[in-house]
Amino acid sequence: MTKKADKIDRLAELMQTSEVTSGASLWREAMRRLRASKMAIIGAVIIALFVVLAIVGPWIAPFSPSAQTWRGEVFANRGEFVGARSGNWFGLDHLGRDMFSRILVGARQTLMVGVVSMLIGLIVGALVGVLSGAAATLGGRNGQRIDTVVMRFTDIMLSLPSLLLAVSIAAVMGQSLTTVMIAVGVVQIPIFARLLRGSMLVQGSSDYVLAAKALGIRKKRIVLTQILPNSLSPVIVQATLSLATAIIEAAALSYLGLGNPDPAIPEWGVMLAQAERFFDNEPMMAAYPAIGIIITALGFTLLGEAMREALDPKLRG
């Protein structure tokens, strides 16, 4: 838990220095660095391709993802499968369905799960982080007590392995796609909460906050118009990184049988689980969704890490 919390606090400190030697704004300088970063460009290209695929996939898929058109050509019980061929670029699955069409359509489900999960963690975590950060920064002694209680609770959640916590939540709520999104989103809440709170603490000691308090501006207005807007950069970076984590953890829950109970609806994690028992005879059934998950998560990770470096004042010059 300590290592995880320290990493989150380090990201919150990225906003400690908001000026750059060129005099340009923080975000303008960050965008300049991102445009020059090969890692950011590669990550952005991967993400763009994945988003486009998720949007247009159902329309460009050559066949219905649930149609067992070639069922008579596949004999899974005898280990006889149909690999890549003309018309079926990725071959057929164990029920005679076109794998290429299922990969295309499944991209939308995978993206939806990742985005919704991240948004749940971001929105709830931000609310908790604002409460804790405002209490610690401008709440006086009572605010310090509130901050302590909230942070100890988030520390307890951070001390638990994220996948184990998500599995526990999903097991209690029951098998469904909504369950997966909620379970993965809840795991993200303490990360965003601690990150935003740490960033607000850094901003709370800034000169502009001291000046606002000296002018008699109300504390609520200082928090909402001054501290909070200047504390969001690390949160945006973490949101990008959390998308990669959410996609992987959602796929893991689906692989464990806690995802969408309808196997006819393609989703990369479910497809990976279905392909496991046929891996010895047809490993490509598992390889295609696994490669999709890995490349997509890599894209969000590359862009997130590039954004982290671009916003780090120690790396600017």
Side-chain angles (χ1 to χ4, degrees), residues 136-165:
T137 305
L138 301 174
R141 183 172 297 178
N142 290 332
Q144 294 288 341
R145 294 194 183 101
I146 294 174
D147 174 59
T148 299
V149 172
V150 173
M151 283 299 102
R152 294 299 75 76
F153 182 73
T154 59
D155 287 344
I156 292 173
M157 294 185 67
L158 285 172
S159 67
L160 301 173
S162 58
L163 184 57
L164 177 60
L165 179 59

PDB file of all heavy atoms in Angstrom, residues 136-165:
ATOM      1  N   ALA A 136      -8.746  19.579   4.386  1.00  0.00           N
ATOM      2  CA  ALA A 136      -7.373  19.663   4.873  1.00  0.00           C
ATOM      3  C   ALA A 136      -6.756  21.032   4.615  1.00  0.00           C
ATOM      4  O   ALA A 136      -5.954  21.530   5.413  1.00  0.00           O
ATOM      5  CB  ALA A 136      -6.520  18.585   4.215  1.00  0.00           C
ATOM      6  N   THR A 137      -7.135  21.664   3.493  1.00  0.00           N
ATOM      7  CA  THR A 137      -6.518  22.928   3.104  1.00  0.00           C
ATOM      8  C   THR A 137      -7.098  24.129   3.844  1.00  0.00           C
ATOM      9  O   THR A 137      -6.363  24.978   4.352  1.00  0.00           O
ATOM     10  CB  THR A 137      -6.678  23.148   1.588  1.00  0.00           C
ATOM     11  OG1 THR A 137      -6.143  22.017   0.891  1.00  0.00           O
ATOM     12  CG2 THR A 137      -5.956  24.403   1.144  1.00  0.00           C
ATOM     13  N   LEU A 138      -8.422  24.185   3.916  1.00  0.00           N
ATOM     14  CA  LEU A 138      -9.068  25.386   4.468  1.00  0.00           C
ATOM     15  C   LEU A 138     -10.054  25.079   5.590  1.00  0.00           C
ATOM     16  O   LEU A 138     -10.763  25.977   6.042  1.00  0.00           O
ATOM     17  CB  LEU A 138      -9.812  26.131   3.346  1.00  0.00           C
ATOM     18  CG  LEU A 138      -8.960  26.594   2.153  1.00  0.00           C
ATOM     19  CD1 LEU A 138      -9.844  27.171   1.056  1.00  0.00           C
ATOM     20  CD2 LEU A 138      -7.936  27.628   2.587  1.00  0.00           C
ATOM     21  N   GLY A 139     -10.086  23.833   6.061  1.00  0.00           N
ATOM     22  CA  GLY A 139     -11.103  23.452   7.038  1.00  0.00           C
ATOM     23  C   GLY A 139     -10.709  23.596   8.488  1.00  0.00           C
ATOM     24  O   GLY A 139     -11.509  23.290   9.378  1.00  0.00           O
ATOM     25  N   GLY A 140      -9.475  24.000   8.754  1.00  0.00           N
ATOM     26  CA  GLY A 140      -9.048  24.156  10.139  1.00  0.00           C
ATOM     27  C   GLY A 140      -8.890  22.808  10.833  1.00  0.00           C
ATOM     28  O   GLY A 140      -8.667  21.775  10.208  1.00  0.00           O
ATOM     29  N   ARG A 141      -9.045  22.826  12.175  1.00  0.00           N
ATOM     30  CA  ARG A 141      -8.835  21.605  12.946  1.00  0.00           C
ATOM     31  C   ARG A 141      -9.890  20.551  12.624  1.00  0.00           C
ATOM     32  O   ARG A 141      -9.561  19.362  12.485  1.00  0.00           O
ATOM     33  CB  ARG A 141      -8.867  21.934  14.443  1.00  0.00           C
ATOM     34  CG  ARG A 141      -8.589  20.735  15.345  1.00  0.00           C
ATOM     35  CD  ARG A 141      -8.455  21.164  16.788  1.00  0.00           C
ATOM     36  NE  ARG A 141      -7.312  22.076  16.970  1.00  0.00           N
ATOM     37  CZ  ARG A 141      -6.993  22.635  18.136  1.00  0.00           C
ATOM     38  NH1 ARG A 141      -7.736  22.394  19.212  1.00  0.00           N
ATOM     39  NH2 ARG A 141      -5.950  23.437  18.214  1.00  0.00           N
ATOM     40  N   ASN A 142     -11.139  20.958  12.515  1.00  0.00           N
ATOM     41  CA  ASN A 142     -12.193  19.992  12.173  1.00  0.00           C
ATOM     42  C   ASN A 142     -11.971  19.411  10.777  1.00  0.00           C
ATOM     43  O   ASN A 142     -12.214  18.231  10.532  1.00  0.00           O
ATOM     44  CB  ASN A 142     -13.562  20.661  12.249  1.00  0.00           C
ATOM     45  CG  ASN A 142     -13.972  20.994  13.673  1.00  0.00           C
ATOM     46  OD1 ASN A 142     -13.552  20.319  14.626  1.00  0.00           O
ATOM     47  ND2 ASN A 142     -14.779  22.034  13.837  1.00  0.00           N
ATOM     48  N   GLY A 143     -11.503  20.258   9.871  1.00  0.00           N
ATOM     49  CA  GLY A 143     -11.213  19.777   8.526  1.00  0.00           C
ATOM     50  C   GLY A 143     -10.102  18.751   8.515  1.00  0.00           C
ATOM     51  O   GLY A 143     -10.143  17.784   7.752  1.00  0.00           O
ATOM     52  N   GLN A 144      -9.104  18.931   9.374  1.00  0.00           N
ATOM     53  CA  GLN A 144      -8.020  17.967   9.479  1.00  0.00           C
ATOM     54  C   GLN A 144      -8.535  16.611   9.938  1.00  0.00           C
ATOM     55  O   GLN A 144      -8.072  15.569   9.468  1.00  0.00           O
ATOM     56  CB  GLN A 144      -6.956  18.487  10.449  1.00  0.00           C
ATOM     57  CG  GLN A 144      -6.228  19.745   9.984  1.00  0.00           C
ATOM     58  CD  GLN A 144      -5.268  19.467   8.846  1.00  0.00           C
ATOM     59  OE1 GLN A 144      -4.877  18.336   8.610  1.00  0.00           O
ATOM     60  NE2 GLN A 144      -4.871  20.521   8.132  1.00  0.00           N
ATOM     61  N   ARG A 145      -9.497  16.638  10.848  1.00  0.00           N
ATOM     62  CA  ARG A 145     -10.067  15.366  11.323  1.00  0.00           C
ATOM     63  C   ARG A 145     -10.818  14.664  10.193  1.00  0.00           C
ATOM     64  O   ARG A 145     -10.709  13.438  10.024  1.00  0.00           O
ATOM     65  CB  ARG A 145     -11.004  15.629  12.503  1.00  0.00           C
ATOM     66  CG  ARG A 145     -10.316  16.161  13.761  1.00  0.00           C
ATOM     67  CD  ARG A 145     -11.253  16.066  14.943  1.00  0.00           C
ATOM     68  NE  ARG A 145     -10.655  16.637  16.145  1.00  0.00           N
ATOM     69  CZ  ARG A 145     -10.918  17.841  16.625  1.00  0.00           C
ATOM     70  NH1 ARG A 145     -11.800  18.620  15.994  1.00  0.00           N
ATOM     71  NH2 ARG A 145     -10.335  18.292  17.718  1.00  0.00           N
ATOM     72  N   ILE A 146     -11.602  15.437   9.440  1.00  0.00           N
ATOM     73  CA  ILE A 146     -12.344  14.850   8.321  1.00  0.00           C
ATOM     74  C   ILE A 146     -11.374  14.258   7.296  1.00  0.00           C
ATOM     75  O   ILE A 146     -11.567  13.135   6.806  1.00  0.00           O
ATOM     76  CB  ILE A 146     -13.236  15.912   7.652  1.00  0.00           C
ATOM     77  CG1 ILE A 146     -14.329  16.374   8.623  1.00  0.00           C
ATOM     78  CG2 ILE A 146     -13.853  15.366   6.365  1.00  0.00           C
ATOM     79  CD1 ILE A 146     -15.167  17.521   8.096  1.00  0.00           C
ATOM     80  N   ASP A 147     -10.334  15.004   6.985  1.00  0.00           N
ATOM     81  CA  ASP A 147      -9.332  14.538   6.024  1.00  0.00           C
ATOM     82  C   ASP A 147      -8.669  13.241   6.497  1.00  0.00           C
ATOM     83  O   ASP A 147      -8.465  12.313   5.717  1.00  0.00           O
ATOM     84  CB  ASP A 147      -8.276  15.625   5.825  1.00  0.00           C
ATOM     85  CG  ASP A 147      -7.128  15.154   4.948  1.00  0.00           C
ATOM     86  OD1 ASP A 147      -7.384  14.775   3.788  1.00  0.00           O
ATOM     87  OD2 ASP A 147      -5.984  15.155   5.425  1.00  0.00           O
ATOM     88  N   THR A 148      -8.364  13.171   7.776  1.00  0.00           N
ATOM     89  CA  THR A 148      -7.716  11.977   8.327  1.00  0.00           C
ATOM     90  C   THR A 148      -8.606  10.750   8.186  1.00  0.00           C
ATOM     91  O   THR A 148      -8.161   9.675   7.771  1.00  0.00           O
ATOM     92  CB  THR A 148      -7.355  12.202   9.804  1.00  0.00           C
ATOM     93  OG1 THR A 148      -6.445  13.297   9.909  1.00  0.00           O
ATOM     94  CG2 THR A 148      -6.712  10.953  10.392  1.00  0.00           C
ATOM     95  N   VAL A 149      -9.876  10.908   8.514  1.00  0.00           N
ATOM     96  CA  VAL A 149     -10.812   9.781   8.437  1.00  0.00           C
ATOM     97  C   VAL A 149     -10.961   9.306   6.982  1.00  0.00           C
ATOM     98  O   VAL A 149     -10.904   8.099   6.695  1.00  0.00           O
ATOM     99  CB  VAL A 149     -12.186  10.180   9.015  1.00  0.00           C
ATOM    100  CG1 VAL A 149     -13.211   9.077   8.750  1.00  0.00           C
ATOM    101  CG2 VAL A 149     -12.078  10.452  10.504  1.00  0.00           C
ATOM    102  N   VAL A 150     -11.146  10.260   6.066  1.00  0.00           N
ATOM    103  CA  VAL A 150     -11.344   9.899   4.661  1.00  0.00           C
ATOM    104  C   VAL A 150     -10.103   9.219   4.089  1.00  0.00           C
ATOM    105  O   VAL A 150     -10.188   8.200   3.397  1.00  0.00           O
ATOM    106  CB  VAL A 150     -11.702  11.151   3.831  1.00  0.00           C
ATOM    107  CG1 VAL A 150     -11.749  10.807   2.343  1.00  0.00           C
ATOM    108  CG2 VAL A 150     -13.049  11.712   4.262  1.00  0.00           C
ATOM    109  N   MET A 151      -8.938   9.748   4.392  1.00  0.00           N
ATOM    110  CA  MET A 151      -7.702   9.193   3.849  1.00  0.00           C
ATOM    111  C   MET A 151      -7.370   7.820   4.430  1.00  0.00           C
ATOM    112  O   MET A 151      -6.803   6.974   3.754  1.00  0.00           O
ATOM    113  CB  MET A 151      -6.531  10.152   4.086  1.00  0.00           C
ATOM    114  CG  MET A 151      -6.521  11.327   3.139  1.00  0.00           C
ATOM    115  SD  MET A 151      -6.372  10.833   1.386  1.00  0.00           S
ATOM    116  CE  MET A 151      -8.089  11.015   0.821  1.00  0.00           C
ATOM    117  N   ARG A 152      -7.710   7.601   5.697  1.00  0.00           N
ATOM    118  CA  ARG A 152      -7.456   6.265   6.257  1.00  0.00           C
ATOM    119  C   ARG A 152      -8.344   5.233   5.555  1.00  0.00           C
ATOM    120  O   ARG A 152      -7.923   4.095   5.345  1.00  0.00           O
ATOM    121  CB  ARG A 152      -7.722   6.267   7.758  1.00  0.00           C
ATOM    122  CG  ARG A 152      -6.791   7.120   8.593  1.00  0.00           C
ATOM    123  CD  ARG A 152      -5.338   6.720   8.519  1.00  0.00           C
ATOM    124  NE  ARG A 152      -4.658   7.089   7.283  1.00  0.00           N
ATOM    125  CZ  ARG A 152      -4.246   8.330   6.984  1.00  0.00           C
ATOM    126  NH1 ARG A 152      -4.440   9.317   7.845  1.00  0.00           N
ATOM    127  NH2 ARG A 152      -3.644   8.571   5.847  1.00  0.00           N
ATOM    128  N   PHE A 153      -9.542   5.623   5.217  1.00  0.00           N
ATOM    129  CA  PHE A 153     -10.435   4.705   4.517  1.00  0.00           C
ATOM    130  C   PHE A 153      -9.897   4.405   3.116  1.00  0.00           C
ATOM    131  O   PHE A 153      -9.901   3.255   2.666  1.00  0.00           O
ATOM    132  CB  PHE A 153     -11.837   5.299   4.421  1.00  0.00           C
ATOM    133  CG  PHE A 153     -12.834   4.395   3.747  1.00  0.00           C
ATOM    134  CD1 PHE A 153     -13.314   3.262   4.391  1.00  0.00           C
ATOM    135  CD2 PHE A 153     -13.284   4.671   2.466  1.00  0.00           C
ATOM    136  CE1 PHE A 153     -14.224   2.422   3.759  1.00  0.00           C
ATOM    137  CE2 PHE A 153     -14.188   3.844   1.837  1.00  0.00           C
ATOM    138  CZ  PHE A 153     -14.665   2.713   2.487  1.00  0.00           C
ATOM    139  N   THR A 154      -9.424   5.440   2.417  1.00  0.00           N
ATOM    140  CA  THR A 154      -8.857   5.207   1.085  1.00  0.00           C
ATOM    141  C   THR A 154      -7.570   4.387   1.171  1.00  0.00           C
ATOM    142  O   THR A 154      -7.296   3.571   0.282  1.00  0.00           O
ATOM    143  CB  THR A 154      -8.577   6.534   0.368  1.00  0.00           C
ATOM    144  OG1 THR A 154      -7.660   7.318   1.144  1.00  0.00           O
ATOM    145  CG2 THR A 154      -9.856   7.332   0.173  1.00  0.00           C
ATOM    146  N   ASP A 155      -6.798   4.572   2.232  1.00  0.00           N
ATOM    147  CA  ASP A 155      -5.579   3.783   2.411  1.00  0.00           C
ATOM    148  C   ASP A 155      -5.905   2.301   2.590  1.00  0.00           C
ATOM    149  O   ASP A 155      -5.170   1.428   2.108  1.00  0.00           O
ATOM    150  CB  ASP A 155      -4.780   4.287   3.616  1.00  0.00           C
ATOM    151  CG  ASP A 155      -4.089   5.615   3.343  1.00  0.00           C
ATOM    152  OD1 ASP A 155      -3.978   5.984   2.160  1.00  0.00           O
ATOM    153  OD2 ASP A 155      -3.682   6.279   4.306  1.00  0.00           O
ATOM    154  N   ILE A 156      -7.001   2.020   3.287  1.00  0.00           N
ATOM    155  CA  ILE A 156      -7.429   0.629   3.461  1.00  0.00           C
ATOM    156  C   ILE A 156      -7.774   0.011   2.106  1.00  0.00           C
ATOM    157  O   ILE A 156      -7.379  -1.122   1.795  1.00  0.00           O
ATOM    158  CB  ILE A 156      -8.631   0.550   4.414  1.00  0.00           C
ATOM    159  CG1 ILE A 156      -8.205   0.921   5.838  1.00  0.00           C
ATOM    160  CG2 ILE A 156      -9.241  -0.852   4.406  1.00  0.00           C
ATOM    161  CD1 ILE A 156      -9.364   1.037   6.814  1.00  0.00           C
ATOM    162  N   MET A 157      -8.481   0.771   1.261  1.00  0.00           N
ATOM    163  CA  MET A 157      -8.836   0.268  -0.070  1.00  0.00           C
ATOM    164  C   MET A 157      -7.596   0.088  -0.940  1.00  0.00           C
ATOM    165  O   MET A 157      -7.493  -0.887  -1.695  1.00  0.00           O
ATOM    166  CB  MET A 157      -9.821   1.227  -0.746  1.00  0.00           C
ATOM    167  CG  MET A 157     -11.177   1.305  -0.068  1.00  0.00           C
ATOM    168  SD  MET A 157     -12.349   2.346  -0.973  1.00  0.00           S
ATOM    169  CE  MET A 157     -12.601   1.376  -2.461  1.00  0.00           C
ATOM    170  N   LEU A 158      -6.642   1.007  -0.810  1.00  0.00           N
ATOM    171  CA  LEU A 158      -5.416   0.898  -1.595  1.00  0.00           C
ATOM    172  C   LEU A 158      -4.551  -0.278  -1.156  1.00  0.00           C
ATOM    173  O   LEU A 158      -3.758  -0.800  -1.944  1.00  0.00           O
ATOM    174  CB  LEU A 158      -4.610   2.192  -1.484  1.00  0.00           C
ATOM    175  CG  LEU A 158      -5.121   3.399  -2.280  1.00  0.00           C
ATOM    176  CD1 LEU A 158      -4.329   4.647  -1.914  1.00  0.00           C
ATOM    177  CD2 LEU A 158      -5.034   3.135  -3.776  1.00  0.00           C
ATOM    178  N   SER A 159      -4.701  -0.687   0.090  1.00  0.00           N
ATOM    179  CA  SER A 159      -3.892  -1.797   0.602  1.00  0.00           C
ATOM    180  C   SER A 159      -4.342  -3.143   0.046  1.00  0.00           C
ATOM    181  O   SER A 159      -3.594  -4.120   0.108  1.00  0.00           O
ATOM    182  CB  SER A 159      -3.945  -1.824   2.130  1.00  0.00           C
ATOM    183  OG  SER A 159      -5.248  -2.159   2.592  1.00  0.00           O
ATOM    184  N   LEU A 160      -5.554  -3.192  -0.494  1.00  0.00           N
ATOM    185  CA  LEU A 160      -6.070  -4.438  -1.055  1.00  0.00           C
ATOM    186  C   LEU A 160      -5.658  -4.568  -2.517  1.00  0.00           C
ATOM    187  O   LEU A 160      -5.708  -3.581  -3.256  1.00  0.00           O
ATOM    188  CB  LEU A 160      -7.602  -4.478  -0.941  1.00  0.00           C
ATOM    189  CG  LEU A 160      -8.178  -4.380   0.469  1.00  0.00           C
ATOM    190  CD1 LEU A 160      -9.696  -4.261   0.402  1.00  0.00           C
ATOM    191  CD2 LEU A 160      -7.772  -5.589   1.298  1.00  0.00           C
ATOM    192  N   PRO A 161      -5.266  -5.746  -2.959  1.00  0.00           N
ATOM    193  CA  PRO A 161      -4.973  -5.942  -4.385  1.00  0.00           C
ATOM    194  C   PRO A 161      -6.185  -5.574  -5.225  1.00  0.00           C
ATOM    195  O   PRO A 161      -7.310  -6.007  -4.932  1.00  0.00           O
ATOM    196  CB  PRO A 161      -4.653  -7.438  -4.483  1.00  0.00           C
ATOM    197  CG  PRO A 161      -4.219  -7.822  -3.101  1.00  0.00           C
ATOM    198  CD  PRO A 161      -5.029  -6.977  -2.176  1.00  0.00           C
ATOM    199  N   SER A 162      -5.977  -4.757  -6.246  1.00  0.00           N
ATOM    200  CA  SER A 162      -7.096  -4.201  -7.010  1.00  0.00           C
ATOM    201  C   SER A 162      -7.953  -5.286  -7.664  1.00  0.00           C
ATOM    202  O   SER A 162      -9.189  -5.219  -7.622  1.00  0.00           O
ATOM    203  CB  SER A 162      -6.578  -3.226  -8.063  1.00  0.00           C
ATOM    204  OG  SER A 162      -5.661  -3.876  -8.932  1.00  0.00           O
ATOM    205  N   LEU A 163      -7.314  -6.284  -8.262  1.00  0.00           N
ATOM    206  CA  LEU A 163      -8.086  -7.330  -8.926  1.00  0.00           C
ATOM    207  C   LEU A 163      -8.876  -8.154  -7.916  1.00  0.00           C
ATOM    208  O   LEU A 163     -10.032  -8.519  -8.167  1.00  0.00           O
ATOM    209  CB  LEU A 163      -7.159  -8.235  -9.739  1.00  0.00           C
ATOM    210  CG  LEU A 163      -7.850  -9.320 -10.570  1.00  0.00           C
ATOM    211  CD1 LEU A 163      -8.856  -8.708 -11.521  1.00  0.00           C
ATOM    212  CD2 LEU A 163      -6.823 -10.143 -11.332  1.00  0.00           C
ATOM    213  N   LEU A 164      -8.280  -8.431  -6.759  1.00  0.00           N
ATOM    214  CA  LEU A 164      -8.986  -9.188  -5.728  1.00  0.00           C
ATOM    215  C   LEU A 164     -10.199  -8.418  -5.227  1.00  0.00           C
ATOM    216  O   LEU A 164     -11.281  -8.997  -5.019  1.00  0.00           O
ATOM    217  CB  LEU A 164      -8.039  -9.484  -4.563  1.00  0.00           C
ATOM    218  CG  LEU A 164      -8.647 -10.225  -3.365  1.00  0.00           C
ATOM    219  CD1 LEU A 164      -9.180 -11.580  -3.799  1.00  0.00           C
ATOM    220  CD2 LEU A 164      -7.609 -10.388  -2.260  1.00  0.00           C
ATOM    221  N   LEU A 165     -10.044  -7.109  -5.046  1.00  0.00           N
ATOM    222  CA  LEU A 165     -11.170  -6.284  -4.617  1.00  0.00           C
ATOM    223  C   LEU A 165     -12.265  -6.271  -5.674  1.00  0.00           C
ATOM    224  O   LEU A 165     -13.459  -6.389  -5.355  1.00  0.00           O
ATOM    225  CB  LEU A 165     -10.680  -4.855  -4.334  1.00  0.00           C
ATOM    226  CG  LEU A 165     -11.747  -3.847  -3.883  1.00  0.00           C
ATOM    227  CD1 LEU A 165     -12.434  -4.313  -2.603  1.00  0.00           C
ATOM    228  CD2 LEU A 165     -11.114  -2.462  -3.686  1.00  0.00           C
TER     229      LEU A 165
END
